[in-house]
Amino acid sequence: MPNVTAADVKRLRDATGAGMMDAKKALEETGGDFDQAIEALRIKGAAKVAKRSAERTTANGLVAASGPAMIVLACETDFVAKNEDFQQLAADIAAAAAEAKPADVEALLNAQLADGRKISEAVDAIAAVVGEKVEIGGLAVVDGEYATYLHRRAADLPYQVGSYVVYTSNGSEAAQTVARDAAMQVVALKATYATRDEVPADVVENERRIAEATAREEGKPEQALPRIIEGRVNGFFKETVLVDQPSVKESKKSVGAVLGEAGVTVQRIVRLEA
């Protein structure tokens, strides 16, 4: 058995776009000969799938969730996203992610489906069948109490946007309800952060600089600048921070106020989109 290194596999993948396992097997089968490995991949059709992957973009797909794990299985067209086998694979990958709890997409690709196949192999296989580039476009794994929401953009499409709201509460039914409402809000209004504490200091400082420069360009009086800047930064928070956003269901209250009344404290939010 030749000593095939990770660098060898990467070089072959970069040259052909083949899947990790396909590249590794090709090198092993050809004694580590790079040119012969490329030929082997072409014969098996893996290189063809990879070339397609390199030249095309995955602008479509679906979101699938299984308990604490959510994934994006991306493809090129909604025609493939509607395919039953494609949807089943997405569900199987989400189930495997819930079981394995991988740290990232690379770890997920190396995990196994219930039928024993590597996920990377299953993704490459369906790409060859449907004739499109297919890839895992996102992964989230959460723990603790969480609410999930999945959204369809059209009735005939699969779920294409999903979210988690991870929270602490007293476990009441009201808490579960408002947490799910918050998860729906994450999907609809695209909150980036759960709380202000999550917003990086440099992002806030940049918003302040923009607010000040804009106010000066508008000719606002010097003495009014601090108030104007603070107001515009608060406006940024209301757009991007979940607990600061106006509640979709109770427009006179913030999401944070609605959650607080139900004894819910948000810990983390996740939003995935195909």
Side-chain angles (χ1 to χ4, degrees):
M1 181 72 68
N3 181 24
V4 176
T5 68
D8 294 331
V9 174
K10 183 178 186 303
R11 181 187 172 208
L12 184 57
R13 292 189 70 194
D14 290 344
T16 66
M20 183 185 303
M21 294 310 299
D22 286 321
K24 185 172 185 291
K25 286 180 181 178
L27 285 166
E28 290 173 348
E29 291 170 358
T30 59
D33 186 292
F34 187 77
D35 292 332
Q36 287 185 24
I38 290 177
E39 288 185 13
L41 286 171
R42 287 175 177 162
I43 291 170
K44 292 178 180 179
K48 181 179 179 181
V49 171
K51 181 181 179 182
R52 187 165 57 238
S53 296
E55 294 176 347
R56 300 181 184 176
T57 58
T58 50
N60 217 294
L62 59 83
V63 170
S66 177
M70 186 180 297
I71 64 106
V72 176
L73 189 60
C75 58
E76 296 176 46
T77 66
D78 62 1
F79 179 78
V80 168
K82 296 175 185 178
N83 178 281
E84 289 185 9
D85 291 338
F86 184 85
Q87 293 182 23
Q88 185 60 58
L89 176 60
D92 292 344
I93 292 173
E99 179 70 23
K101 295 181 172 57
D104 51 34
V105 170
E106 183 176 356
L108 177 59
L109 287 168
N110 283 312
Q112 287 188 329
L113 295 173
D115 62 10
R117 289 182 299 164
K118 281 279 187 74
I119 288 175
S120 60
E121 295 173 342
V123 171
D124 287 345
I126 201 164
V129 170
V130 301
E132 289 192 6
K133 178 179 180 180
V134 177
E135 62 186 357
I136 295 179
L139 166 70
V141 180
V142 300
D143 54 22
E145 287 185 278
Y146 58 86
T148 313
Y149 179 69
L150 300 175
H151 176 73
R152 302 178 195 271
R153 294 195 182 101
D156 64 334
L157 292 175
Y159 296 118
Q160 293 186 302
V161 191
S163 68
Y164 283 120
V165 168
V166 182
Y167 64 97
T168 57
S169 74
N170 57 13
S172 68
E173 185 175 336
Q176 295 170 10
T177 299
V178 298
R180 187 172 187 277
D181 288 345
M184 293 174 64
Q185 176 130 355
V186 170
V187 166
L189 296 189
K190 302 181 180 180
T192 306
Y193 310 100
T195 66
R196 292 191 183 195
D197 291 341
E198 287 186 6
V199 186
D202 61 327
V203 172
V204 177
E205 185 56 34
N206 189 55
E207 288 299 319
R208 290 189 185 281
R209 283 197 298 270
I210 293 172
E212 180 177 357
T214 302
R216 291 185 183 280
E217 183 70 20
E218 292 170 348
K220 302 296 184 184
E222 189 72 24
Q223 64 271 22
L225 289 181
R227 176 179 53 81
I228 293 171
I229 292 168
E230 197 62 29
R232 290 179 177 175
V233 170
N234 282 331
F236 164 76
F237 286 137
K238 286 181 181 180
E239 288 181 359
T240 60
V241 175
L242 175 64
V243 297
D244 282 292
Q245 288 182 339
S247 169
V248 170
K249 288 200 167 183
E250 299 187 49
S251 59
K252 294 184 179 180
K253 298 178 181 178
S254 69
V255 173
V258 174
L259 292 171
E261 290 171 0
V264 174
T265 301
V266 177
Q267 304 294 318
R268 177 190 175 194
I269 62 172
V270 175
R271 186 180 188 277
L272 294 181
E273 183 171 1

